[in-house]
Amino acid sequence: MALIELANVHKRYENDGVVTPALNGVTLNIEEGEFVALMGPSGSGKSTLMHIMGFLDHITEGTYLFRGRDVSRLGKDDLARMRRGDVGFVFQAFHLLPKSTVRDNVTLPMLYAGVRNGERRERADRALAAVGLTHRAEHLSNQLSGGERQRVAIARAIVNDPKVLFADEPTGNLDTKSGTAVLNLLQELHEQGRTIIMVTHELEAAEHAERIIRIRDGQVITDAKNHSRRRGEYHK
């Protein structure tokens, strides 16, 4: 059984009677432990697909199974629990609280998950160690560089040990050196057994993944293994 199974998935948005298709019959499986890049130009549907797989949006038609569960049959409470425990998100804009410490930012998802105070600090410190930022734990997030902020965002995303880590254009706001560091960190997390799904429009970033799925006009146009993965070669 695949971790994620999508079969003939469609997504349409309607506004004032105007229907806009975003996904047009997407079928794909993602196995546990894969590092997948979803690649395509702006408006291709790749972010919509990520939002659906991450329980942030609903399909209009088709089937989405997550670990064998039919996501379309789940209620709001179940979906909220899955967002808290099964997936983590890293976004281009970081979305950190600027006047809070790095540790407090990483702790935030555990507050919603009901983790007790002592365990929150312990788990936050483990996540910060995993991204190499233990020495920054007491700094405010607005005192960090862009690359450090994205590493804090990754620590926050993995602190609840999710089944899938979603990264939406994680290098989009970073310079070349910082982008390389973030992509190498994602590879390291993958090598530790994490499932990673990264949305990007940049081939150089996508080539750090082991599988590249290209999307255009809401459809999968190619889906292939990447036999020449890059490491430390990111050029913006």
Side-chain angles (χ1 to χ4, degrees):
M1 180 179 65
L3 178 66
I4 289 173
E5 300 175 74
L6 300 172
N8 195 32
V9 166
H10 293 255
K11 178 62 182 180
R12 295 182 288 271
Y13 295 100
E14 185 172 350
N15 186 25
D16 293 332
V18 178
V19 177
T20 303
L23 296 177
N24 298 298
V26 171
T27 296
L28 61 87
N29 289 354
I30 295 176
E31 302 293 336
E32 192 160 359
E34 283 195 281
F35 185 173
V36 178
L38 300 178
M39 191 179 178
S42 296
S44 61
K46 62 185 186 298
S47 291
T48 298
L49 180 57
M50 186 200 78
H51 290 161
I52 285 173
M53 289 191 291
F55 319 120
L56 295 173
D57 205 346
H58 300 275
I59 64 175
T60 304
E61 180 183 335
T63 303
Y64 172 24
L65 302 181
F66 184 85
R67 304 184 80 193
R69 299 182 71 186
D70 187 344
V71 176
S72 66
R73 296 180 180 275
L74 300 178
K76 290 182 179 180
D77 290 343
D78 285 331
L79 290 173
R81 278 193 291 271
M82 292 174 76
R83 282 194 296 270
R84 288 194 299 266
D86 289 324
V87 298
F89 294 95
V90 178
F91 296 101
Q92 178 177 338
F94 316 137
H95 297 311
L96 301 179
L97 300 176
K99 297 298 179 67
S100 295
T101 67
V102 164
R103 182 182 286 113
D104 286 345
N105 270 282
V106 175
T107 298
L108 194 60
M110 292 183 284
L111 293 174
Y112 299 116
V115 178
R116 61 183 177 82
N117 186 48
E119 187 178 352
R120 289 201 298 268
R121 183 184 177 101
E122 181 181 333
R123 284 167 56 174
D125 286 348
R126 283 204 305 267
L128 286 171
V131 302
L133 285 178
T134 300
H135 63 296
R136 291 291 210 178
E138 297 300 331
H139 285 71
L140 300 180
S141 65
N142 63 2
Q143 296 175 321
L144 307 184
S145 68
E148 288 173 327
R149 291 180 194 179
Q150 193 61 293
R151 283 192 281 157
V152 173
I154 292 172
R156 181 183 59 190
I158 66 173
V159 75
N160 280 332
D161 196 23
K163 301 293 185 298
V164 186
L165 175 61
F166 291 99
D168 192 359
E169 302 283 3
T171 61
N173 283 338
L174 304 179
D175 59 28
T176 301
K177 182 178 179 180
S178 298
T180 298
V182 166
L183 289 166
N184 288 343
L185 175 57
L186 291 176
Q187 282 191 327
E188 290 169 10
L189 292 171
H190 167 247
E191 289 161 7
Q192 294 167 13
R194 297 185 183 275
T195 305
I196 298 176
I197 301 174
M198 177 175 66
V199 168
T200 184
H201 67 277
E202 298 176 340
L203 178 59
E204 293 88 348
E207 286 180 343
H208 283 253
E210 65 178 0
R211 176 182 171 194
I212 301 176
I213 300 173
R214 296 175 184 265
I215 299 174
R216 182 180 299 156
D217 298 327
Q219 296 179 312
V220 174
I221 57 172
T222 62
D223 181 353
K225 292 289 186 181
N226 177 22
H227 297 291
S228 56
R229 295 181 69 187
R230 295 191 177 204
R231 188 174 183 87
E233 300 178 3
Y234 177 64
H235 303 288
K236 190 160 183 175

